[in-house]
Amino acid sequence: MFTSTGSNGLYKAPLSKSLLLVPSAISILLTLLFQHYQKFFAYNIQAIKEDFQIWRLVCGRTVCLDLKDTFCSSLLIYNFRIFERRYGSRKFSSFLLGAWMFSALFDLLLVELAQYIFGFTINSLPSGFLGPVFALFVPFYCSIPRVQVTQVLGHFSITNKTLVYILGLQLLTSGSYIWILALSGLISGICYNSSILKVHQILCVPSWVAKIFSWTLEPIFSSAEPTNEIRVGMGATVDIQRQQRMELLDRQIMMSQVAQMRRQRQQQGGMINWNRLFPPLRHRHNANYQDHRPSDQETPPPTEVSEEQVARLMEMGFSRGDALEALRASNNDLNVATNFLLQH
């Protein structure tokens, strides 16, 4: 399972935590105490087009006025926090910024298109940070592996992604015109992730802005590192739990061995030979591996590394050399390589 539980589930995801707490708190306050201020957060399309109230794009597309939408979108943001951990807060915020801007444009275009084709006028749309949330389904579908957990009636597979899709469907059916926000969000996610349009190279958060927010807001919304028990999580079956613990053991072995090699390098100088240090991870599942460690002459040739995965690691701020060696050491497992580089 790619999600984790516990109070420290937002470790290394300060932006996700802020998106969970701040808009949700404002939404609850507007619903319970300050109903007379809700009109300022209404996503009024007519006022934007006719009266040029551009500020409504910011207010109306940030805070949900429906608590059901707040609850569903908060759960989705919590599940999508894995992207902030994987790509880093700056790249994650760049994606959200690009998706927010594109979805605002597509909202207006789809409203005009619906009026032209179906002949009805749409004066307002559901409020909230919904466009970027729906846009996150694009990398979720493309980059998160699908792992079957169980089967229902012998034919219908339940995977680690099923609950997220159910939450998205629940959010999609919560309002009459929310399909416009969902469609514009999905189109925005596709455009931002497109390798042809290169939008991610244009719409990105500047490094100096990211540094300012890391100095000011990250200490407020940062979470403590979870313990090993919390990080392992509880799989739905005994096999999944066993596999999770084996993967955790692999990471612990890698980190302890590299820490030892780093100390030796500081004393003697030189580079770490990652390929000698980490044999293929599948050999660690053999209980007799320690008794049958291959010699230097039997070491296999270096693993071919995907340039796309190298580019992803470099976008997170790692050097090309570290990215290459980490991917070779982890047998091209991007998640293991990323976790290792983040820890060291």
Side-chain angles (χ1 to χ4, degrees):
M1 305 288 284
F2 72 94
T3 59
S4 64
T5 59
S7 60
N8 293 327
L10 291 166
Y11 174 62
K12 289 190 176 180
L15 179 58
S16 300
K17 186 175 182 180
S18 65
L19 291 175
L20 274 174
L21 297 180
V22 177
S24 299
I26 296 176
S27 177
I28 294 173
L29 290 175
L30 289 174
T31 303
L32 301 180
L33 301 178
F34 305 105
Q35 293 91 344
H36 52 287
Y37 288 111
Q38 288 187 354
K39 60 183 179 180
F40 297 108
F41 293 89
Y43 191 10
N44 193 323
I45 298 295
Q46 186 176 6
I48 294 173
K49 292 191 301 182
E50 297 180 359
D51 302 331
F52 298 101
Q53 297 181 3
I54 306 301
W55 57 270
R56 289 190 178 274
L57 283 174
V58 178
C59 297
R61 304 186 74 251
T62 306
V63 178
C64 293
L65 297 181
D66 190 330
L67 289 182
K68 297 191 301 295
D69 294 346
T70 301
F71 180 73
C72 290
S73 60
S74 297
L75 287 178
L76 288 171
I77 290 174
Y78 178 80
N79 281 277
F80 290 147
R81 75 199 186 283
I82 187 175
F83 296 115
E84 184 174 5
R85 291 177 174 174
R86 177 179 294 185
Y87 303 132
S89 297
R90 181 189 175 191
K91 185 174 180 180
F92 183 65
S93 61
S94 297
F95 177 89
L96 294 179
L97 175 63
W100 188 90
M101 296 178 66
F102 269 104
S103 59
L105 174 62
F106 288 125
D107 285 349
L108 299 176
L109 293 178
L110 289 175
V111 166
E112 293 294 331
L113 186 63
Q115 182 176 355
Y116 177 78
I117 296 178
F118 302 108
F120 56 82
T121 302
I122 301 176
N123 294 324
S124 61
L125 292 174
S127 302
F129 198 68
L130 303 179
V133 169
F134 281 110
L136 284 168
F137 275 97
V138 176
F140 178 76
Y141 175 80
C142 297
S143 62
I144 301 299
R146 179 178 176 270
V147 179
Q148 179 175 318
V149 176
T150 186
Q151 281 190 336
V152 178
L153 302 177
H155 299 286
F156 302 99
S157 298
I158 303 298
T159 71
N160 58 329
K161 304 169 74 171
T162 302
L163 176 61
V164 178
Y165 289 134
I166 292 176
L167 285 173
L169 183 61
Q170 173 65 33
L171 185 60
L172 178 63
T173 57
S174 64
S176 56
Y177 295 126
I178 203 169
W179 63 269
I180 294 180
L181 303 176
L183 185 57
S184 65
L186 292 175
I187 297 174
S188 303
I190 294 173
C191 292
Y192 194 89
N193 270 359
S194 174
S195 58
I196 300 176
L197 298 178
K198 304 291 185 182
V199 177
H200 60 276
Q201 297 181 358
I202 303 174
L203 292 177
C204 62
V205 176
S207 58
W208 62 272
V209 175
K211 289 180 180 179
I212 292 176
F213 279 98
S214 66
W215 293 335
T216 56
L217 298 182
E218 187 172 344
I220 300 175
F221 295 104
S222 60
S223 300
E225 181 177 4
T227 62
N228 292 338
E229 289 76 11
I230 295 175
R231 195 180 303 175
V232 172
M234 291 301 294
T237 65
V238 175
D239 290 337
I240 292 177
Q241 294 177 24
R242 185 183 299 112
Q243 181 63 30
Q244 288 173 338
R245 295 188 180 279
M246 291 171 66
E247 291 174 355
L248 175 63
L249 181 60
D250 282 335
R251 292 195 294 267
Q252 289 175 339
I253 293 174
M254 288 176 61
M255 293 175 184
S256 62
Q257 290 181 335
V258 142
Q260 180 180 359
M261 291 299 294
R262 280 179 179 269
R263 289 193 295 267
Q264 294 179 1
R265 184 178 62 173
Q266 291 175 358
Q267 296 175 358
Q268 302 175 1
M271 298 295 293
I272 294 179
N273 190 337
W274 294 69
N275 292 321
R276 292 182 59 188
L277 182 60
F278 301 125
L281 294 180
R282 60 178 177 271
H283 293 313
R284 292 201 180 100
H285 301 306
N286 184 348
N288 298 322
Y289 169 72
Q290 294 295 337
D291 298 331
H292 301 281
R293 181 172 296 178
S295 61
D296 293 344
Q297 291 80 6
E298 296 175 354
T299 302
T303 307
E304 292 294 332
V305 176
S306 169
E307 287 297 328
E308 180 181 357
Q309 292 179 340
V310 174
R312 285 188 178 184
L313 291 175
M314 292 178 65
E315 288 175 355
M316 295 173 61
F318 303 112
S319 67
R320 178 178 177 82
D322 287 345
L324 286 170
E325 300 296 349
L327 288 169
R328 287 171 183 158
S330 61
N331 286 333
N332 266 331
D333 191 318
L334 183 61
N335 290 333
V336 174
T338 304
N339 289 335
F340 171 77
L341 290 172
L342 288 174
Q343 293 291 337
H344 295 80

